[in-house]
Amino acid sequence: MQLKLTARHEHLDDSVRKYAERKLAKLDRRLNDLTLVEVTFSQEHNPSIAADHTVDAVIHTKGPSLVAHESATTYEAAIDRLVDKLERQVERYRDKRTLEQRRRSPHAAPEPGSDATEAPPSESVA
């Protein structure tokens, strides 16, 4: 897993950066090594917004991109909530890729009850 941490309009403390890396390392077990995870930190400057620390994450997978967005009073709390959301999404994504059978075209699979080895009856002209 390749992790890209970005702070928007401010500088990110090393303690928050290390905390995010440690928490997001949980996803490393479930994702491919080449999967890119982009995490963006931002802070609202409006004093009337209580949950002003926002963390966004996008996981670029082989199929769909998984997106999560979370706000809280501190970055640490937002990261905890974000990781919970991402774990659920990654688990669902992996289950779909491994457990769900691929859809087959109707001509590829014979119908149950019909014998595909029999030749169709030919008409004889007398």
Side-chain angles (χ1 to χ4, degrees), residues 4 9-10 12 29 34 58 77 88 91 96 100 103 105 110 117:
K4 180 181 175 186
H9 304 295
E10 64 185 49
L12 193 61
R29 290 177 278 159
L34 299 176
V58 179
R88 283 193 300 269
E91 219 30 64
K96 276 188 172 184
E100 188 173 306
R103 307 229 180 346
S105 60
T117 59

Side-chain angles (χ1 to χ4, degrees), residues 28-114:
D28 195 21
R29 290 177 278 159
R30 295 182 175 98
L31 294 173
N32 190 2
D33 292 339
L34 299 176
T35 303
L36 176 65
V37 179
E38 294 179 353
V39 181
T40 306
F41 297 88
S42 62
Q43 184 176 4
E44 296 290 333
H45 297 291
N46 187 348
S48 65
I49 298 175
D52 59 345
H53 294 78
T54 304
V55 181
D56 301 319
V58 179
I59 301 177
H60 300 283
T61 62
K62 187 175 179 180
S65 294
L66 307 176
V67 179
H69 171 84
E70 195 58 55
S71 297
T73 55
T74 63
Y75 281 130
E76 288 82 4
I79 291 168
D80 289 340
R81 292 182 190 170
L82 182 84
V83 169
D84 289 341
K85 282 185 179 182
L86 289 174
E87 283 179 335
R88 283 193 300 269
Q89 288 184 17
V90 167
E91 219 30 64
R92 184 167 182 245
Y93 164 73
R94 284 186 43 118
D95 286 347
K96 276 188 172 184
R97 288 185 58 91
T98 58
L99 299 179
E100 188 173 306
Q101 293 182 355
R102 299 196 176 206
R103 307 229 180 346
R104 295 182 181 161
S105 60
H107 60 80
E111 294 181 11
S114 68

